[in-house]
Amino acid sequence: MVSSSHEALHRIFQKDPALLTRALQSVLRIPFPEPREFAAMNVDLTEIEPVEKRVDTLLRAETDDGAYLLVVESQGKPDDRKRGSWPYYLSYLHEKYRCEPVLIVITQNSATARWAAEPIHLGVRGCPSLTVRPFVLGPDNVPVIVDEREAERDVPLAVLSAMTHGRGPQAAAILENLATALRTIDPDSAAVFVQFVDSCLADRQAQQMWRDLMTAIQYFWRHPLAEQVRGEGREEGREEGRAEGWAAAILRTFQRRQIDVPDPVRDRILASTDLDELGTWFDRSHEVADAGELFTEGP
């Protein structure tokens, strides 16, 4: 179980390392060479005993231009101690592995992103001996993915979008389209991504919306977090909970799209216990122009 936002923000790159280099290339416009393969590495950078140094995630990327070490740090708030430890990480890794280290910082906070992006100069002021320039991924440059087809084309990037923009004004649209996109990938990967997003949603309303959506499409029940939220229950209770989740997701979609829902339509949605039927209605709720069209067969 992913226990914190800090953990999820870097673990997503362990799940899908290629997302990291895609973010460097497409989001930050860094001309990073296309990797042939990735390897996870030991994150412990302690040399002897006295001082422990540990990065969040460390990946080795093999490219036609040689090997790179991708150092991923998730940062919740500014921490001046990092101005010393980040240069240490890069110098130590370069000396130990003789590979080019690349520092990537990921955050959900714009102020923290601006702080992290400031170059670190060590040495004489105006003429430093060492300069470190972190690459930062945060809410100011990670794309806001609110289009369902775009989310389906790149589910990991859509997950990263939800993790960094989960407290923003478009959180509802991001989460709803991500929920739909998760149904297009294998359930085991989807279940992991669900945990990452849930851990990063600091806004209670957004987190509850996400849990309702996930309960509806059953991924939520693949993880122990479900037991914390709903407690242990019999299978029929879970089926009822999933139906309620689907219904809530449909009505929330209409609310977001500013489509009025007449009482008879609302009552029929809330009364349904057929999960297949509710899933079909959820898909249609993103397309129809009138709530009454929800139950109409065909295009």
Side-chain angles (χ1 to χ4, degrees), residues 189-203:
S189 293
V192 174
F193 287 142
V194 167
Q195 299 167 39
F196 291 157
V197 174
D198 189 271
S199 296
C200 286
L201 292 175
D203 182 85

Side-chain angles (χ1 to χ4, degrees), residues 176 212-213 216 243-257 259 261 265-266 268-270 272 274-275 277-286 288 291 294-295:
E176 286 174 354
D212 288 343
L213 288 167
E244 292 174 356
W246 272 123
I250 293 167
L251 295 175
R252 190 176 287 110
T253 299
F254 281 137
Q255 182 182 26
R256 177 178 61 81
R257 297 183 64 207
I259 295 177
V261 181
V265 174
R266 182 183 301 273
R268 182 173 174 182
I269 293 171
L270 293 174
S272 178
D274 186 325
L275 298 182
E277 178 180 65
L278 287 163
T280 300
W281 291 350
F282 176 73
D283 291 339
R284 290 179 187 165
S285 68
H286 290 81
V288 298
L294 189 70
F295 315 120

Side-chain angles (χ1 to χ4, degrees), residues 18-64:
L19 172 62
L20 189 55
T21 52
R22 291 204 308 276
L24 288 176
Q25 295 164 345
S26 61
V27 177
L28 298 179
R29 305 298 180 185
I30 304 299
F32 193 88
E34 198 65 36
R36 294 191 305 272
E37 61 178 316
F38 292 93
M41 302 184 68
N42 189 347
V43 298
D44 192 342
L45 307 186
T46 305
E47 286 191 84
I48 314 179
E49 289 293 329
V51 180
E52 180 181 351
K53 298 289 186 181
R54 186 180 298 271
V55 298
D56 289 335
T57 288
L58 180 61
L59 300 168
R60 182 185 178 107
E62 298 290 346
T63 77
D64 291 337

Side-chain angles (χ1 to χ4, degrees), residues 115-290:
W115 166 83
E118 295 176 2
I120 303 169
H121 301 294
L122 301 181
V124 178
R125 182 169 299 180
C127 189
S129 298
L130 175 66
T131 297
V132 173
R133 300 181 184 275
F135 299 138
V136 182
L137 295 169
D140 295 331
N141 56 17
V142 172
V144 177
I145 298 181
V146 293
D147 180 79
E148 179 181 328
R149 290 179 178 82
E150 187 178 357
E152 290 177 355
R153 281 196 299 270
D154 195 337
V155 174
L157 186 60
V159 172
L160 184 61
S161 177
M163 292 165 66
T164 52
H165 297 284
R167 63 179 71 184
Q170 300 191 75
I174 294 171
L175 297 176
E176 286 174 354
N177 286 292
L178 175 58
T180 301
L182 286 174
R183 297 167 65 193
T184 66
I185 66 175
D186 70 277
D188 289 334
S189 293
V192 174
F193 287 142
V194 167
Q195 299 167 39
F196 291 157
V197 174
D198 189 271
S199 296
C200 286
L201 292 175
D203 182 85
R204 287 292 185 86
Q205 186 174 1
Q207 187 181 63
Q208 187 56 55
M209 173 188 174
W210 180 244
R211 291 179 176 183
D212 288 343
L213 288 167
M214 293 304 99
T215 300
I217 61 176
Q218 305 182 36
Y219 291 130
F220 188 70
W221 296 105
R222 298 177 60 84
H223 192 262
L225 179 62
E227 300 302 332
Q228 295 181 20
V229 178
R230 296 195 181 272
E232 297 183 358
R234 296 187 302 172
E235 183 59 31
E236 57 264 31
R238 292 184 176 184
E239 292 289 323
E240 181 181 352
R242 287 196 283 268
E244 292 174 356
W246 272 123
I250 293 167
L251 295 175
R252 190 176 287 110
T253 299
F254 281 137
Q255 182 182 26
R256 177 178 61 81
R257 297 183 64 207
Q258 298 182 330
I259 295 177
D260 291 331
V261 181
D263 287 341
V265 174
R266 182 183 301 273
D267 292 343
R268 182 173 174 182
I269 293 171
L270 293 174
S272 178
T273 57
D274 186 325
L275 298 182
D276 291 335
E277 178 180 65
L278 287 163
T280 300
W281 291 350
F282 176 73
D283 291 339
R284 290 179 187 165
S285 68
H286 290 81
E287 303 169 356
V288 298
D290 182 277

